[in-house]
Amino acid sequence: MLSIDWAPNPKDSLPLYQQISEYMKNKIATGEWPINSKLPPQRTLARIFQVNRSTLAIALDELIADGLLESKLGSGTWVANNTWSLLASTPPNNWTSYLDRGIHLPNLHTIQEINHLEFNPKVIRLSTGELSPEIFPKTMMDSILRKLPDRIHALGYEEPRGLLFLREQISIYLSSFGINASPASIMIVSGALQALQLICSSLLPKESTILLEKPSYLFSLKLFQSMNMDLCGIPLDEEGMNMEPISFHKKHKNVNLLYTIPCFHNPTGITMTKERRKSIINICQKEQLPIIEDDVYRELWLDTPPPIPLKALEKEGLVLYLGSLSKSLSPGLRIGWIVGPEPVIERLADIKMQTDYGSSSLSQWAAAEWLTSGLYQTHLEEVRTQLRIRRKVACNALEAHFSDIATWQIPKGGFYIWLILNQAVSMQKLFKEALNNGLLIHPGNIYDTLSNRHLRLSYSYASLPEMENGLFRLSELIKTLIRQS
C-alpha cells in the first residue's frame, strides 16, 4: 500500500485539487510511486487528503489525462507512467514487477491498513496490543539512561548470543518463576517475532506443519507461510489448548512443532491451567514434538500470577522459551530472548549474526540496567495497577453498551478481551465503518479466517475517555449492521 502522510492546505492560494495533483506528480516523478503501483480507493484517499470525493476526482482525472494514472474498471486506479517514461523511448526499470518475487508474502490487507493507521493520531485505537504512552515510565527510564555512561565503555558489536551481562540478569530473572537457564542457553533477540523468524529459517524444514491455538496471533502474519510451512489450528477451551488432537495431527499431518501462548493468550486472553500444561508436556514428550512457548504476556497478570511456564515443567530441552520486554516495558527497546538447549542457541545465534549482527548494544545495556536495578519490578507493579483500572473501565463500558449484542469473559491479565457477537456481521464492512467513524479495531477474522462474530478489544492503549467513547460508538455501529443484515 502506498504511504501518504500529507494533506493539502486549505489556506494555500493554489486550489485543493491542484495541490493534490502536484503532490501525486512529485511522488510519481521521483519514483517513490513506481509504475503499476495501486492507489488506495477513492474514499480512502479523500479521507486522507481531508477533501470531498468530487475534489479528489478532479485531481485524478487530470493525472489520468496526462497519462500518469490509469483507471482500470473494477480494479481501481494505478500508476501508469512517470514523467521520465513519457519523455524517453525506453521506460525506466519497473520495480513493481519485482514485488511478488521475494520470499516473504505480503501481510493481509487489513493488517497493512492497521499498521499504517496506528500512527494516525485522529483514530481511537481500541485493539492495540501495547501499553499506553500514559503508562510509559519516563522518570524511571531517565534514571536508567543516565546510569548507562558509567557502564558502557564502547558501543561495538556484542557476542552472537548477546550481551553477557544482560543474559546473566535474565538468567536470574527466569529463576524467579522456575526456569533454570545458564547465560549460555539464553540468546538476545530483537523481540519475540525475530525469535520466530530465526526458528523458522534455521531449525524447521520446508513444508513443516506447526500446531497452534485457533484463533491465534500467528494467523494474522505470513511468517510461516512465507517459508512454505502450514499452520494447523487446534481449538481452545477455558483451560487452554485442547490436548486430544495433538497426537492425531502428529501422526497424520507431518507436524514438526507446537506453538502456544499459554499466558493471557493473544487474542482470546485465555490462560492455560497448570494441569493442562502438564498434560501437553507429557503428550509432546511422548510424541517427540518440540514446543515454542511464547510467554511475552506472563508479567501482565492482574489477579494472581499465572502457573509456572511449560519450560519449567520439563528437563529434556523440549521447549524453546520466548520472553520479551516489548509488552511489559517498551516495544521500542526491541529486546527479547530465547531460552533453549545450548546447541540450538548456538545455531540460532549464528543465523542472527548473518542477518543483523546482533541486537542494539544500547538497548541491551538499558534492558540489563532495568533488571539489575530492581526498577523493572517496581514498574511492573504500577503497570498492573493501571491495567486493573483500564480493565474495569472497559468491562463497565461493555456491560453498558454490549450486553444485548455480545458476550465476553473478563480477562485475568494481559491486554485483550475476546468479544463474541450474538449475531454474525460482515467483518470487512464493520472494519471500514469503524474506520470511517475514527475507530481502529481488530476484526476476529484476521486471527481465524472463518470468524465473523469476534473482535479483539484491548484496554491497554487508548486513554480512558477515548475507550469509553469509542466502545459506545462501536456498539452503535454493530447494532446498525445487525439491523441491516
Side-chain angles (χ1 to χ4, degrees), residues 109-124:
H109 178 69
T110 301
I111 295 294
Q112 291 183 26
E113 284 197 86
I114 290 170
N115 289 341
H116 284 285
L117 290 165
E118 283 192 330
F119 294 94
N120 184 342
K122 295 182 179 180
V123 299
I124 297 177

Side-chain angles (χ1 to χ4, degrees), residues 261-266 269-271 297-298 300-301 306 412-414 416:
I261 308 173
C263 289
F264 316 120
H265 175 261
N266 181 5
I270 291 171
T271 293
Y297 298 98
R298 163 166 291 277
L300 300 177
W301 56 268
K412 297 179 180 179
Y416 310 118

Side-chain angles (χ1 to χ4, degrees), residues 22-23 90 102 155 211 243 304 391 422 463 467:
E22 291 300 320
Y23 170 79
T90 303
L155 274 178
L211 293 182
M243 302 176 295
T304 57
R391 178 182 64 175
N422 297 338
S463 69
M467 192 189 309

